[in-house]
């Protein structure tokens, strides 16, 4: 999966979110002013990658879908500020009815130490940082999917992802300062 470095512009490009406590907390960190309304999107089954692609499209993002072996569906998402990847897992043979979703991206920044990254992960609840095989810091957020989820639920997950990006930008800007502040 192609991973692109996010920027603050990427975070601001994904500001149209439905209200939830977690999404609102993360959104306030990403952009303090009110988010603009997005067009309503009908979601018949959030386990179908097409549902997330439609929600992202309504928010101005472009997505490229690719099926992979072993029941995974990969999506590259491009926004005006950058891009990230989605991986739908445990999908049926048609690439639908997926049970899980992971958001991820790699940063083109100086890598934190393993100790700093471990400290970041101990302090975070839903965001996970790792060092990629190429040594670049990566951030991921994953969630389970169900047929009962709607477009607002998917927007909430995008909001949490935004918060992960904001927090990881802060961390990778100065890992030592971030870790010291967290302790």
């Amino acid at each position: 999966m192609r991973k692109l470095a996010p920027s603050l512009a990427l975070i601001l490009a994904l500001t149209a979110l439905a209200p939830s406590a977690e999404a609102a907390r993360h959104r306030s960190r990403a952009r303090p002013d009110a988010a603009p309304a997005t067009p309503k999107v009908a979601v018949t089954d959030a386990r179908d990658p097409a549902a997330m692609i439609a929600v992202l499209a309504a928010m101005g993002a472009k997505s490229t879908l690719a099926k992979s072996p072993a029941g995974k569906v990969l999506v590259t998402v491009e926004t005006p500020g950058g891009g990230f990847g989605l991986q739908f897992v445990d999908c049926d043979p048609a690439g639908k009815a997926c049970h899980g979703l992971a958001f991820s991206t790699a940063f083109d920044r100086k890598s934190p130490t393993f100790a700093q990254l471990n400290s970041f992960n101990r302090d975070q609840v839903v965001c996970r940082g790792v060092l990629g095989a190429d040594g670049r810091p990566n951030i991921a957020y994953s969630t389970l999917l169900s047929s009962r989820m709607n477009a607002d639920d998917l927007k909430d997950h995008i909001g949490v992802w935004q918060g992960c990006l904001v927090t990881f930008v802060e961390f990778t800007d100065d890992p030592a300062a971030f870790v010291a502040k967290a302790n």
Side-chain angles (χ1 to χ4, degrees):
M1 176 182 335
R2 184 173 165 236
K3 294 182 181 178
L4 304 170
S7 67
L8 189 54
L10 164 65
I11 296 161
L12 296 176
L14 294 173
T15 57
L17 303 173
S20 79
E22 186 70 10
R25 181 177 72 81
H26 285 301
R27 184 177 61 242
S28 68
R29 294 187 72 195
R31 185 175 176 175
D33 56 337
T38 54
K40 287 288 183 188
V41 176
V43 170
T44 56
D45 189 347
R47 298 173 306 155
D48 183 347
M52 179 61 87
I53 291 170
V55 169
L56 287 164
M59 297 170 75
K62 295 180 182 166
S63 304
T64 305
L65 179 73
K67 282 177 68 174
S68 75
K72 296 178 186 173
V73 176
L74 306 176
V75 179
T76 301
V77 181
E78 299 285 340
T79 73
F84 58 91
L86 299 174
Q87 181 180 17
F88 291 83
V89 296
D90 195 20
C91 304
D92 68 14
K96 300 181 185 309
C98 305
H99 291 107
L101 167 63
F103 295 74
S104 66
T105 194
F107 281 50
D108 289 325
R109 295 170 181 246
K110 181 180 175 190
S111 292
T113 66
F114 282 117
Q116 291 167 331
L117 200 54
N118 283 339
S119 180
F120 173 86
N121 286 332
R122 278 191 301 274
D123 187 52
Q124 300 302 306
V125 175
V126 296
C127 312
R128 291 285 157 236
V130 298
L131 293 180
D134 59 2
R136 293 187 305 159
N138 290 254
I139 186 71
Y141 162 67
S142 60
T143 188
L144 298 175
L145 297 171
S146 82
S147 60
R148 294 182 308 270
M149 295 172 84
N150 60 35
D152 288 339
D153 296 325
L154 294 177
K155 288 178 191 177
D156 282 346
H157 287 294
I158 295 167
V160 174
W161 172 238
Q162 283 183 283
C164 290
L165 290 171
V166 169
T167 303
F168 209 62
V169 165
E170 287 177 29
F171 171 67
T172 58
D173 277 346
D174 189 348
F178 185 93
V179 169
K181 184 174 72 172
N183 292 328

